């Protein structure tokens, strides 16, 4: 029987810029990225349970239109986050974790990381651990590079493997259109393809683009559209050539900018405003090159308790 529960809402993200540097000795690439949290949300509900007879501490339930590809076992990132919290804080209550999923799976929008972030923030609240946001981000970085940003939200610069965050000076709200693919892409496979495409090239250290930061500071959507840049895009398009066509169609229909989100395959288009975003949704949908198109705005706040 459940005693208490906490629900945390967590946003997906788009990388406005993703600059990929050389591969490090630990196998990760040094990156410089500008994240923006967008209004596609997962809700992570953590419930204290007194069913102590089960052979695992946590049970995971997924609620999604397309649950395909989301693990319900110990490899779920929310499970890994809960497990880490238990080890760090010597906890032993049984928990039910239920995830209401809207962020595309394996879509380059950090859906799994968002679920880990939601788990950490929910457990902090449910078990009255009293952790600061910085402490939760630190714990999150042990699970994955994008987890700290899922906790922080807003617009931020990520360096290292993306886990070292600095808030970005950003003004304005931006209207996004996301072209979703039903088949995800594996992030390690995209980095591998990126390495293959750049073989023999001199790779300089990753840099955040000054023109992009200037566009954000001046809330200039047109300039931001032009400054969007993703070093993983050639690799994502090489593995999934249909992404090039989607990018061309969105730009032909007047998007201010188009970019593969993170490691793809989601393609993000920046629109002038909400009406323009609606026009883009209609155009992309009727073009027949994309199955599922959604609108969102950014920046939005990071992981937030919405129910307790
Ligand atoms: P990123 O942008 O951080 O690289 P992504 O958005 O491309 O990530 P995710 O949705 O996080 O990708 O999923 C990547 C893989 O992680 C999935 O294929 C799935 O096997 C695994 N996974 C583990 N936990 C989750 C979760 N809670 N939700 C979705 N996928 C998960």
């Amino acid at each position: 029987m459940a005693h208490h529960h906490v629900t945390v809402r967590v946003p997906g993200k788009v990388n406005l810029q993703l600059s990929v540097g050389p591969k490090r000795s630990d196998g990760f690439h040094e990156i410089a990225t500008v994240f923006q949290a967008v209004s596609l949300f997962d809700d992570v509900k953590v419930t204290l349970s007194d069913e102590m007879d089960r052979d695992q501490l946590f049970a995971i339930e997924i609620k999604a239109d397309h649950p395909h590809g989301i693990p319900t076992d110990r490899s779920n990132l929310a499970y890994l986050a809960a497990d880490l919290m238990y080890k760090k804080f010597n906890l032993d209550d049984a928990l039910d974790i239920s995830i209401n999923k809207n962020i595309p799976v394996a879509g380059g929008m950090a859906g799994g990381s968002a679920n880990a972030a939601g788990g950490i923030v929910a457990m902090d609240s449910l078990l009255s651990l009293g952790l600061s946001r910085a402490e939760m981000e630190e714990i999150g970085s042990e699970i994955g590079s994008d987890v700290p940003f899922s906790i922080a939200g807003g617009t931020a610069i990520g360096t290292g493997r993306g886990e070292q965050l600095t808030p970005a000076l950003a003004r304005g709200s931006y209207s996004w259109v996301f072209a979703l693919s039903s088949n995800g892409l594996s992030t390690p496979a995209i980095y591998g393809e990126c390495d293959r495409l750049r073989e023999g090239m001199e790779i300089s250290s990753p840099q955040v683009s000054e023109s992009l930061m200037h566009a954000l500071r001046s809330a200039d959507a047109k300039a931001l559209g032009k400054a969007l840049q993703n070093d993983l895009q050639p690799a994502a398009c090489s593995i999934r050539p249909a992404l090039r066509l989607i990018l061309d169609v969105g730009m032909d229909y007047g998007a201010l900018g188009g970019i593969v989100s993170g490691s793809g395959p989601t393609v993000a288009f920046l629109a002038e405003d909400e009406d323009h975003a609606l026009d883009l949704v209609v155009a992309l949908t009727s073009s027949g090159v994309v199955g599922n198109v959604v609108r969102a705005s950014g920046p939005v706040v990071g992981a937030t308790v919405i129910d307790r």
Side-chain angles (χ1 to χ4, degrees):
M1 192 186 69
H3 293 299
H4 307 286
H5 71 264
V6 169
T7 305
V8 170
R9 180 157 288 178
V10 269
K13 60 83 183 165
V14 58
N15 299 79
L16 308 178
Q17 191 203 349
L18 180 47
S19 171
V20 179
K23 198 169 176 171
R24 310 191 307 201
S25 53
D26 63 3
F28 287 100
H29 290 75
E30 192 71 25
I31 67 166
T33 189
V34 182
F35 294 110
Q36 183 161 97
V38 295
S39 61
L40 286 182
F41 299 105
D42 285 354
D43 287 344
V44 181
K45 180 177 178 181
V46 179
T47 306
L48 268 180
S49 159
D50 61 3
E51 287 175 48
M52 290 306 287
D53 55 343
R54 61 167 67 124
D55 59 356
Q56 57 179 33
L57 277 173
F58 322 113
I60 299 237
E61 185 196 0
I62 308 289
K63 296 174 188 158
D65 288 342
H66 305 286
H68 176 74
I70 310 172
T72 51
D73 60 10
R74 286 161 201 256
S75 65
N76 192 296
L77 291 183
Y79 188 105
L80 291 179
D83 198 40
L84 183 62
M85 294 286 278
Y86 267 57
K87 287 185 181 124
K88 279 192 186 294
F89 299 103
N90 283 320
L91 308 169
D92 59 6
D93 307 273
L95 287 185
D96 291 319
I97 302 172
S98 159
I99 302 170
N100 200 338
K101 209 144 179 76
N102 294 299
I103 304 172
V105 178
M109 298 191 76
S113 303
N115 298 162
I120 293 168
V121 174
M123 286 174 69
D124 170 65
S125 170
L126 183 68
L127 306 170
S128 304
L129 299 176
L131 296 171
S132 66
R133 296 298 273 196
E135 284 168 329
M136 290 191 275
E137 289 174 20
E138 179 69 38
I139 294 170
S141 72
E142 294 181 40
I143 301 290
S145 312
D146 291 343
V147 182
F149 179 71
S150 299
I151 294 175
T155 306
I157 296 170
T159 52
R161 35 181 189 91
E163 86 288 10
Q164 292 162 26
L165 295 180
T166 320
L169 202 57
R171 291 168 51 230
S173 178
Y174 300 91
S175 297
W176 292 99
V177 171
F178 294 104
L180 311 183
S181 302
S182 45
N183 292 323
L185 282 174
S186 140
T187 304
I190 296 299
Y191 272 99
E193 180 67 0
C194 177
D195 289 340
R196 195 187 67 80
L197 294 175
R198 305 199 303 191
E199 213 170 305
M201 287 164 63
E202 182 79 29
I203 308 300
S204 46
S205 18
Q207 298 284 343
V208 168
S209 134
E210 192 36 54
S211 54
L212 187 128
M213 295 314 292
H214 186 264
L216 284 171
R217 281 195 298 272
S218 31
D220 184 341
K222 280 200 175 71
L224 181 63
K226 286 201 189 91
L228 297 173
Q229 190 217 326
N230 180 359
D231 285 355
L232 291 181
Q233 187 161 305
C237 291
S238 160
I239 290 188
R240 187 75 59 81
L243 298 182
R244 277 202 195 95
L245 182 62
I246 296 172
L247 282 160
D248 288 348
V249 171
M251 295 310 288
D252 285 351
Y253 282 116
L256 300 179
I259 196 169
V260 169
S261 178
S263 52
T266 301
V267 177
F269 293 106
L270 186 61
E272 279 171 41
D273 51 31
E274 284 188 29
D275 286 345
H276 182 213
L278 204 55
D279 291 345
L280 265 178
V281 170
V282 173
L284 281 161
T285 308
S286 55
S287 73
V289 295
V290 199
N292 194 3
V293 190
V294 296
R295 275 189 304 156
S297 62
V300 296
V301 293
T304 306
V305 174
I306 54 162
D307 177 34
R308 130 174 53 205

